[in-house]
Amino acid sequence: MGSGVLQLKLSSFCHRRTNNSPELSCHRIRAFTFNAKSTFHCLLEDSQRSKKPLEMAAISHLASADGSDNFTKTSLHKPVKMRHLNGQTFFSTEAYVLDGEVMGVSSDIAQERVGVLLLNLGGPETLHDVQPFLFNLFADPDIIRLPRLFRFLQQPLAQLISILRAPKSKEGYAAIGGGSPLRRITDEQARALRVALEEKNLHANVYVGMRYWHPFTEEAIHQIKKDNITKLVVLPLYPQFSISTSGSSIRVLQSIFREDAYFARLPVSIIESWYQREGYIKSMADLIEKEILSFSEPEEVMIFFSAHGVPLSYVEDAGDPYRDQMEECITLIMDELKSRGIPNNHTLAYQSRVGPVQWLKPYTDEVIVELGQKGVESLLAVPISFVSEHIETLEEIDMEYKHLALQSGIKNWGRVPALGCTSSFISDLADAVIEALPSASAMSSTKDTYRDADMDPVQYAIKMFLGSIIAFILLLSPKLFSSFRNSV
Ligand SMILES: C=CC1=C(C)c2cc3[nH]c(cc4nc(cc5[nH]c(cc1n2)c(C)c5CCC(=O)O)C(CCC(=O)O)=C4C)c(C)c3C=C
Ligand SMILES: [Fe+2]
């Protein structure tokens, strides 16, 4: 470790399953040894005095709802700024305090074959892909979280829900040109990141691993092994962590890594979330500022952050930090805008709910109607949970919500584009990768006890058959049926 770097042990984040209720899990902040506490406070004070940002790179422990009896643990890496949300800090464990600047790439790292794995959701490239893509999505136990006893229903339910949902989804993808732009944009981001790393003197291969469509994470992993990468940084392209997005992709990685001796030894650093990075916050503020100035009366514009929702139970029962991170992210962006003399009113709502359960509130569509009724005339929609254009920006926001807003009395509508390959943003991602490298370490191997693939084939066939019947009966309920077909 280079000079000026202090290693501290802080606290850990874990996602723990409780014994009496397998679906209830909680996040816990556990204090670790803290023998460098006073030095750390000095650094904090120094940083506040000099107004220099204090960066912290942390390795944390995370476990996902993977259905195993033992909660899964792995070494993760997360660069976080020392900002606290209501006195709480998630995810921090072993920390490297950097002196504001990204440290140079050390000569040790120059000897390595570095890989960066970008994780993303993936999207159907043609209308023909829509139903199988939806099947992959709903078959994910981090997307439909069934109680352990009912896990055997996962695949039959996914089959039925994907068939029910496909017509509605296809309409959406047809409206944006017949498929998702996610693969193209993520590939462009990967190329831009490679160039940005090169400019910062780090030669790295950048791979793309999608969770539900091509190129699948498994394909990227195969290529990483073929290229004999010796250090890997994993970077989910979701600024905020959710069990349903980054958590799900990381769980897939864990299970692949656990079975392969090469990956079990490979030093890996996982950047769980990066919504609080200064480069990201400033890049978002740049985009908002530019868009707000295009209104005839910029000071009257309501900044309307719209985030992809998750079911409420994720946050309230499973301890998903998504809502807290989202709220903190918006506070940071608004602080940045205020510092630029843009103190506009703002609000946050959640979009894209699917199915019969309650999702994070308030809902975007309901808030738009309320704002119209209250006499708000100018609205600037800001998609906040994702960094590429996709169906929920191009169809849901640009078409459905715009139409709803104009119908509800809003006269001036604008939308901030997704970050895509904005150079300040890509440069900040490159910094995040460089900061993450020193803490790469081999992922611990833990046993994943929930695996359909390990099941005896006869037992599997019986479960699928029974599961299909039960799932079919459940979906005959008119309320369930329409909630998957119609709600967005
Ligand atoms: C932070 C981003 C996202 C979260 C959180 C998230 C959770 C989540 N999503 C669904 C269901 C669907 N998501 C769909 C597409 C989709 N979702 C995200 C992002 C998040 N999802 C993206 C980027 C996309 C892909 C868009 C594309 O352009 O292809 C879909 C399919 C589209 C549709 O039919 O609406 C579904 C369904 C759930 C259930 C969930 C949390 C549990
Ligand atoms: Fe989604």
Side-chain angles (χ1 to χ4, degrees):
M1 201 56 50
S3 62
V5 178
L6 178 71
Q7 211 179 340
L8 296 173
K9 290 208 163 189
L10 291 176
S11 62
S12 85
F13 161 92
C14 76
H15 177 186
R16 189 174 51 126
R17 299 170 60 79
T18 54
N19 288 337
N20 50 356
S21 171
E23 279 316 296
L24 280 182
S25 42
C26 68
H27 291 283
R28 202 157 49 111
I29 297 177
R30 181 155 42 102
F32 269 112
T33 52
F34 216 119
N35 52 10
K37 199 172 175 183
S38 55
T39 326
F40 179 67
H41 281 299
C42 287
L43 270 166
L44 253 184
E45 279 162 20
D46 272 0
S47 136
Q48 279 157 4
R49 260 200 308 274
S50 64
K51 298 268 183 282
K52 266 181 143 185
L54 181 71
E55 294 283 343
M56 202 178 83
I59 302 167
S60 62
H61 293 270
L62 171 142
S64 165
D66 66 348
S68 56
D69 287 325
N70 310 320
F71 67 88
T72 331
K73 262 207 232 166
T74 188
S75 253
L76 298 172
H77 177 278
K78 175 182 176 256
V80 286
K81 282 192 98 178
M82 279 303 292
R83 291 195 224 231
H84 289 253
L85 173 69
N86 304 329
Q88 289 180 311
T89 308
F90 286 104
F91 297 133
S92 39
T93 312
E94 290 195 34
Y96 302 96
V97 178
L98 309 178
D99 193 18
E101 302 293 316
V102 173
M103 292 168 14
V105 177
S106 75
S107 54
D108 288 353
I109 285 173
Q111 311 299 317
E112 305 273 3
R113 275 184 302 281
V114 175
V116 179
L117 173 58
L118 298 181
L119 298 175
N120 212 336
L121 189 127
E125 285 164 70
T126 66
L127 295 185
H128 191 69
D129 299 337
V130 170
Q131 191 268 323
F133 158 78
L134 289 174
F135 171 80
N136 292 341
L137 186 129
F138 290 119
D140 178 358
D142 287 316
I143 286 283
I144 295 193
R145 292 166 55 86
L146 294 174
R148 191 169 160 66
L149 205 61
F150 294 102
R151 283 276 161 80
F152 68 99
L153 287 174
Q154 190 92 41
Q155 300 231 344
L157 255 182
Q159 193 66 36
L160 276 162
I161 297 172
S162 63
I163 290 168
L164 286 177
R165 176 79 186 173
K168 161 94 187 153
S169 282
K170 276 186 187 174
E171 266 177 43
Y173 285 109
I176 63 165
S180 170
L182 261 184
R183 182 177 193 165
R184 176 182 53 78
I185 298 171
T186 313
D187 283 346
E188 284 165 11
Q189 288 171 323
R191 279 193 292 273
L193 180 60
R194 187 189 168 117
V195 172
L197 286 168
E198 204 76 59
E199 281 167 7
K200 293 173 194 278
N201 298 321
L202 179 68
H203 177 77
N205 286 0
V206 183
Y207 304 86
V208 171
M210 301 291 196
R211 180 67 181 90
Y212 306 118
W213 206 247
H214 302 278
F216 287 108
T217 310
E218 291 80 351
E219 298 170 44
I221 287 298
H222 179 75
Q223 193 58 45
I224 287 168
K225 190 173 176 182
K226 224 169 134 193
D227 293 345
N228 200 14
I229 290 300
T230 59
K231 236 178 201 180
L232 182 67
V233 175
V234 176
L235 176 57
L237 282 175
Y238 309 95
Q240 306 83 9
F241 179 92
S242 166
I243 295 168
S244 61
T245 54
S246 310
S248 168
S249 286
I250 291 166
R251 185 175 59 84
V252 168
L253 278 185
Q254 280 181 301
S255 62
I256 300 173
F257 282 18
R258 190 179 297 139
E259 281 166 9
D260 187 302
Y262 163 79
F263 284 110
R265 280 195 299 269
L266 178 68
V268 181
S269 191
I270 303 183
I271 303 171
E272 277 172 45
S273 66
W274 37 270
Y275 65 93
Q276 68 294 70
R277 290 188 63 83
E278 201 162 315
Y280 164 72
I281 297 293
K282 287 196 161 148
S283 302
M284 283 302 296
D286 291 345
L287 293 183
I288 296 170
E289 184 175 5
K290 181 166 177 249
E291 224 50 54
I292 228 169
L293 293 176
S294 70
F295 282 78
S296 55
E297 290 179 284
E299 63 289 349
E300 298 300 317
V301 176
M302 162 79 78
I303 303 173
F304 186 82
F305 292 96
S306 188
H308 196 305
V310 294
L312 185 64
S313 63
Y314 280 50
V315 171
E316 298 211 330
D317 303 333
D320 196 335
Y322 182 71
R323 181 173 61 190
D324 284 342
Q325 294 194 358
M326 192 60 71
E327 288 173 0
E328 189 189 5
C329 178
I330 279 146
T331 304
L332 295 174
I333 294 173
M334 288 312 300
D335 287 350
E336 174 64 27
L337 286 170
K338 275 178 208 140
S339 76
R340 298 179 187 193
I342 305 173
N344 288 48
N345 287 333
H346 74 281
T347 188
L348 163 66
Y350 294 91
Q351 65 177 82
S352 319
R353 59 192 188 276
V354 189
V357 298
Q358 198 182 330
W359 282 52
L360 287 184
K361 283 186 174 176
Y363 298 145
T364 296
D365 48 357
E366 294 179 0
V367 175
I368 289 175
V369 175
E370 277 165 27
L371 292 175
Q373 284 166 353
K374 280 186 193 154
V376 171
E377 292 196 350
S378 301
L379 209 58
L380 177 61
V382 186
I384 187 67
S385 42
F386 211 59
V387 292
S388 318
E389 297 297 344
H390 61 295
I391 190 169
E392 274 120 19
T393 56
L394 300 170
E395 197 272 334
E396 205 173 353
I397 298 184
D398 289 354
M399 298 180 193
E400 293 184 36
Y401 294 147
K402 180 179 177 182
H403 181 70
L404 182 65
L406 298 179
Q407 265 190 337
S408 309
I410 284 152
K411 295 193 174 67
N412 309 304
W413 168 270
R415 204 263 286 176
V416 166
L419 282 163
C421 287
T422 305
S423 58
S424 56
F425 162 62
I426 297 291
S427 169
D428 189 53
L429 286 186
D431 290 345
V433 167
I434 293 168
E435 288 167 27
L437 269 173
S439 54
S441 60
M443 289 176 97
S444 59
S445 57
T446 46
K447 197 174 177 301
D448 189 353
T449 51
Y450 174 68
R451 296 261 179 80
D452 276 350
D454 292 345
M455 219 183 262
D456 160 31
V458 179
Q459 202 187 355
Y460 183 74
I462 294 170
K463 283 195 164 188
M464 279 295 281
F465 178 70
L466 287 176
S468 302
I469 294 172
I470 297 173
F472 188 70
I473 292 167
L474 277 176
L475 281 165
L476 283 181
S477 138
K479 196 174 166 229
L480 272 177
F481 187 84
S482 64
S483 66
F484 283 109
R485 281 198 73 152
N486 301 325
S487 73
V488 187

